[in-house]
Amino acid sequence: MTRRRIILLGATGSIGDSTLDVIARHPDRFGVAALTANGQWEKLAQLCLTHRPDVAALSDPDAARSLERALAGSGVSTRVLCGEAGIIEAAALAGADTVVAAIVGAAGLRPTLAAAGAGKRILLANKEALVIGGAVFMAAAAQGGATLLPIDSEHNAIFQCLPQDYARNPGASGVRRIVLTASGGPFRTRPVADLATVTADQACAHPNWVMGRKISVDSATMMNKGLEMIEAHWLFGLSPEQIEIVVHPESVIHSLVEYVDGSVLAQLGHPDMRTPIAQALAFPDRVDAGVPALDLVRQGTLTFENPDHERFPCIGLAANALRAGGTAPAVLNAANEVAVAAFLAARIRYTDIAPACAEALSRLPTRPVHALEDALAADSEARAVARAWLRLPEAA
Ligand code: NDP
Ligand code: MG
């Protein structure tokens, strides 16, 4: 058994916490080569003392200086890097084979691309990277000899239900379609008329999962499921018609694959991100993730319903963006990032999020994506349109 050395991008976040929990359970199998974050230097300093990485990187230069001071004289010889360049350097660090891509949002795109170019084994949580630059990202991964292992729970479930040689010949696999399950979030049954006044904390109070605040809002609007359709399209080479969404409030079935013979394979488990993270970290082996056994009898019932498109207009917006292709998903993602950040800062209403995305999609023409620059140009145009429509100041 080779001991895997892990580069963890987004180490101070929710996926970061879950990943380090799994790693710490198996010191014989996993070691930490690099940890990165944005500005939370105190938390990163603590993590450096515990996990002793070779490298730590913070995108905020002031925070990086504080981290350097905090580690000086601590007996830990971690080298501190800073800025986006520092994160990118950490993402491609030699001597480490696995990168956990868990930065939130578009900020994760370039570091994850660097890992792809360096031929790493990439455990992908940062779905926004695929939504913005899917074609570019998949090409970079193929060219760099990188392996993609999804840790988004739905995509990890699909990965586990597909044949192991699926990627080599998807056409021969007999897959008819996949079903992405969705919890429906905290507002599944709340009167639609009340949604204009819900707060950020209410939107982040997810019934089943504990996650970072951006993805929690995406789960409340179900934009998360829309982004996941686009993610599934790129990861598994499926057409929009082959990707279905079913609301399953218990979050026990994490997704399903239907085959042409009528067989439907599903992956079940407690809603705990340590399961997909451990599956991908150890793949093809299996390791204890610290997750309790699933008690089906105690669970009793599993229920399913169709998504309500009036309540969750973001699903339709994402499906349209996926069908339109080109820059449309990047536009959708960028407008959503602007709107969600503004909602979390209590500057706009929850019900402004979907219209801001719709506005950016209808105002900006869909162009082909030949190179990363095409997607990034669409990203910044969409941010400007969304900001103007939401009447936010330029830099908000
Ligand atoms: P969190 O907000 O909890 O953590 C985000 C991490 O990214 C933090 O370490 C943060 O650093 C870092 N970060 C933020 N902005 C930047 C930046 N500009 N440059 C460098 N690093 C940055 O998010 P989650 O862990 O919840 O989610 C991470 C990703 O995983 C998202 O793409 C999400 O969609 C995906 N995902 C998450 C799941 C979950 O259960 N949480 C489930 C499935 C997918 P700092 O703390 O210093 O700000
Ligand atoms: Mg998910």
Side-chain angles (χ1 to χ4, degrees), residues 353-369:
I353 297 173
C357 297
E359 175 73 8
L361 281 171
S362 69
R363 283 273 300 281
L364 295 170
T366 296
R367 289 189 290 260
V369 174

Side-chain angles (χ1 to χ4, degrees), residues 304-325:
F304 307 92
E305 61 198 40
N306 283 319
D308 173 346
H309 287 274
E310 185 201 348
R311 179 183 294 276
F312 300 116
C314 290
I315 301 174
L317 293 175
N320 288 343
L322 174 56
R323 275 188 224 104

Side-chain angles (χ1 to χ4, degrees), residues 269-336:
H270 280 288
D272 186 323
M273 287 307 292
R274 290 176 300 175
T275 295
I277 291 168
Q279 190 275 340
L281 276 174
F283 182 77
D285 296 349
R286 295 273 182 177
V287 295
D288 177 19
V291 177
L294 181 64
D295 185 338
L296 283 173
V297 173
R298 199 159 161 215
Q299 180 65 43
T301 45
L302 298 177
T303 59
F304 307 92
E305 61 198 40
N306 283 319
D308 173 346
H309 287 274
E310 185 201 348
R311 179 183 294 276
F312 300 116
C314 290
I315 301 174
L317 293 175
N320 288 343
L322 174 56
R323 275 188 224 104
T327 50
V331 166
L332 173 78
N333 180 71
N336 182 56

Side-chain angles (χ1 to χ4, degrees), residues 4-336:
R4 293 195 182 283
R5 306 206 66 239
I6 318 288
I7 297 165
L8 175 52
L9 309 177
T12 51
S14 162
I15 293 286
D17 288 343
S18 297
T19 303
L20 290 170
D21 183 280
V22 175
I23 288 175
R25 289 169 193 275
H26 304 283
D28 52 326
R29 283 182 173 264
F30 309 122
V32 177
L35 296 173
T36 83
N38 185 23
Q40 283 204 68
W41 64 269
E42 280 162 308
K43 180 163 181 183
L44 196 58
Q46 278 306 317
L47 296 179
C48 288
L49 295 179
T50 309
H51 298 280
R52 301 182 163 258
D54 301 339
V55 164
L58 282 161
S59 38
D60 176 345
D62 290 336
R65 275 189 286 277
S66 300
L67 175 65
E68 213 157 24
R69 275 195 294 272
L71 294 181
S74 68
V76 173
S77 59
T78 302
R79 186 159 59 97
V80 176
L81 305 174
C82 90
E84 191 185 35
I87 309 258
I88 288 173
E89 187 179 334
L93 194 70
D97 66 337
T98 298
V99 174
V100 178
I103 294 174
V104 61
L109 178 60
R110 285 185 198 275
T112 310
L113 264 176
K120 304 292 191 196
R121 214 169 145 263
I122 301 174
L123 275 54
L124 189 75
N126 178 211
K127 64 194 85 184
E128 296 93 341
L130 267 189
V131 171
I132 300 166
V136 177
F137 187 83
M138 296 308 286
Q143 213 165 29
T147 308
L148 283 182
L149 295 168
I151 52 177
D152 203 349
S153 59
E154 297 76 4
H155 306 73
N156 182 268
I158 301 289
F159 176 73
Q160 293 196 48
C161 295
L162 289 173
Q164 277 214 17
D165 61 354
Y166 176 80
R168 247 173 284 138
N169 195 356
S173 64
V175 171
R176 184 186 281 152
R177 58 173 194 151
I178 64 168
V179 181
L180 300 176
T181 52
S183 68
F187 302 145
R188 184 175 59 91
T189 55
R190 189 174 286 237
V192 173
D194 290 359
L195 294 178
T197 54
V198 296
T199 64
D201 284 345
Q202 287 168 335
C204 289
H206 197 280
N208 306 333
W209 297 94
V210 181
M211 309 181 285
R213 285 173 80 78
K214 192 268 179 178
I215 186 177
S216 294
V217 175
D218 286 348
S219 298
T221 61
M222 286 189 76
M223 180 62 91
N224 184 50
K225 214 49 55 181
L227 300 178
E228 289 182 355
M229 288 175 69
I230 302 171
E231 182 185 13
H233 161 75
W234 289 112
L235 284 174
F236 306 118
L238 298 167
S239 68
E241 294 69 37
Q242 287 177 291
I243 306 170
E244 190 170 317
I245 295 172
V246 166
V247 174
H248 164 47
E250 296 84 6
S251 298
V252 167
I253 298 180
H254 298 304
S255 279
L256 313 93
V257 176
E258 183 184 307
Y259 288 86
V260 287
D261 61 4
S263 297
V264 178
L265 303 193
Q267 185 257 354
L268 288 72
H270 280 288
D272 186 323
M273 287 307 292
R274 290 176 300 175
T275 295
I277 291 168
Q279 190 275 340
L281 276 174
F283 182 77
D285 296 349
R286 295 273 182 177
V287 295
D288 177 19
V291 177
L294 181 64
D295 185 338
L296 283 173
V297 173
R298 199 159 161 215
Q299 180 65 43
T301 45
L302 298 177
T303 59
F304 307 92
E305 61 198 40
N306 283 319
D308 173 346
H309 287 274
E310 185 201 348
R311 179 183 294 276
F312 300 116
C314 290
I315 301 174
L317 293 175
N320 288 343
L322 174 56
R323 275 188 224 104
T327 50
V331 166
L332 173 78
N333 180 71
N336 182 56

